[in-house]
Amino acid sequence: MVDIKKVSLAPPREKIEFTGERCTPWITTGLLSEHLHRYLSVLELVEGKTVLDIACGEGYGAALMRNAGASSVLGIDIDQEIIVRANRIYGREELSFACGDIREDLNIPSKKFDVITCFETIEHIDAQDAFMAELARVLAPGGTLIISTPDAKRPGAENENNPFHEKELSIEEFQDLVGRHFAYSEMNYQRFVCGSVMSGPDGAITPNQSFWERNGFLAYENTRGLQHQKFAIISASDRPVSALSTGLLHDGHILASLRTALRAATE
């Protein structure tokens, strides 16, 4: 597996305002960290590979993967206007965007892509088995699908009412769905956190990890792992899968924006 040290993207020439659903690179909340971290976690898998980015949205994730060494990336989204913009802003050799409806056949040749990324998408459709079968059809033998969705049982989910979500899945339901279409899979979890990080002498997160979480005034519990996960991320294939590059995304710009918002609200 390639060790990706750096990846960058020039600021797009045209800004898109945040509507509340589609993530854009200009927002300064934990939402961007969550979306961006999913793309960063697959960069080591896409080196030299043909990649399909399902529900690519604004296009920054597909562009990051191409910049990280993917041999080609195709982004697909249902919004014709956003696809025209993505081709205008990011499109170049071996990086293109096309309009497509994930509720229908993708109109793509079978076994075409080495890697498929599908982040925060499956909860937007009801015919989920048919969609998974279509992803399996266009994935090349030995290829990898990386797919994520919010956990339907996440804390506070009962108080959320996202009009864009057709069918949210629990982690067990998500695993069962993927397992019906792929012989091998590996689960990872994600949530937004804010706090201190302690690393080993080489700067890496040590195998003997602690995950301290506050649950009262100077009351903390060492859970030894990520608890109360918000998102489930599965790597799936017809062969044993490579582990994702899990870890921490630290974004000082987002944290500074959160502090500014809190200070303004307090005042």
Side-chain angles (χ1 to χ4, degrees):
M1 184 181 293
V2 179
D3 184 14
I4 301 294
K5 298 293 186 182
K6 292 183 179 180
V7 66
S8 61
L9 195 65
R13 300 184 302 274
E14 303 169 18
K15 185 175 181 178
I16 292 182
E17 297 299 332
F18 181 51
T19 64
E21 175 61 16
R22 177 183 288 119
C23 184
T24 74
W26 297 274
I27 62 175
T28 53
T29 69
L31 177 67
L32 178 59
S33 285
E34 292 164 346
H35 279 250
L36 184 59
H37 201 182
R38 289 191 277 272
Y39 280 110
L40 295 177
S41 74
V42 305
L43 295 186
E44 294 178 350
L45 297 177
V46 304
E47 173 78 15
K49 304 293 180 61
T50 57
V51 181
L52 173 64
D53 188 21
I54 294 287
C56 62
E58 190 267 351
Y60 73 92
L64 280 173
M65 291 190 288
R66 179 71 179 100
N67 286 4
S71 62
S72 68
V73 182
L74 171 64
I76 288 182
D77 198 275
I78 194 173
D79 189 330
Q80 179 67 49
E81 183 177 344
I82 205 74
I83 287 298
V84 170
R85 179 192 180 277
N87 276 310
R88 182 172 66 245
I89 298 298
Y90 298 114
R92 63 179 193 274
E93 184 180 2
E94 303 300 343
L95 173 60
S96 61
F97 301 85
C99 197
D101 189 340
I102 59 175
R103 297 166 297 183
E104 302 173 356
D105 292 345
L106 294 175
N107 195 27
I108 291 173
S110 298
K111 307 184 188 312
K112 181 175 176 61
F113 295 97
D114 302 316
V115 176
I116 299 176
T117 53
C118 180
F119 300 138
E120 308 312 291
T121 303
I122 198 164
E123 66 274 9
H124 291 265
I125 58 178
D126 186 62
Q128 295 174 340
D129 265 297
F131 175 59
M132 291 298 299
E134 183 68 355
L135 294 183
R137 181 185 69 80
V138 300
L139 188 66
T144 304
L145 165 69
I146 305 97
I147 182 170
S148 69
T149 194
D151 178 10
K153 296 182 180 179
R154 64 192 179 278
E158 64 277 4
N159 298 320
E160 297 180 18
N161 183 24
N162 191 322
F164 300 100
H165 289 187
E166 290 286 337
K167 184 181 179 182
E168 291 194 354
L169 300 168
S170 68
I171 287 184
E172 297 77 16
E173 291 170 332
F174 189 34
Q175 285 179 310
D176 288 343
L177 174 65
V178 174
R180 290 197 291 271
H181 299 272
F182 294 91
Y184 298 91
S185 65
E186 180 176 297
M187 175 72 74
N188 289 279
Y189 303 106
Q190 184 188 30
R191 58 175 278 210
F192 182 77
V193 298
C194 178
S196 167
V197 176
M198 189 175 293
S199 65
D202 60 353
I205 305 299
T206 62
N208 184 28
Q209 296 181 59
S210 297
F211 195 91
W212 290 96
E213 188 141 14
R214 187 169 186 164
N215 54 25
F217 181 75
L218 294 187
Y220 292 85
E221 178 185 4
N222 183 358
T223 60
R224 294 290 179 184
L226 190 65
Q227 301 296 307
H228 311 302
Q229 60 271 359
K230 182 178 179 182
F231 301 101
I233 307 171
I234 291 181
S235 303
S237 180
D238 60 354
R239 301 173 190 177
V241 295
S242 300
L244 287 185
S245 177
T246 58
L248 171 76
L249 182 152
H250 172 69
D251 195 321
H253 179 65
I254 288 177
L255 295 179
S257 298
L258 292 174
R259 286 194 293 270
T260 299
L262 286 172
R263 186 162 53 248
T266 303
E267 293 173 354

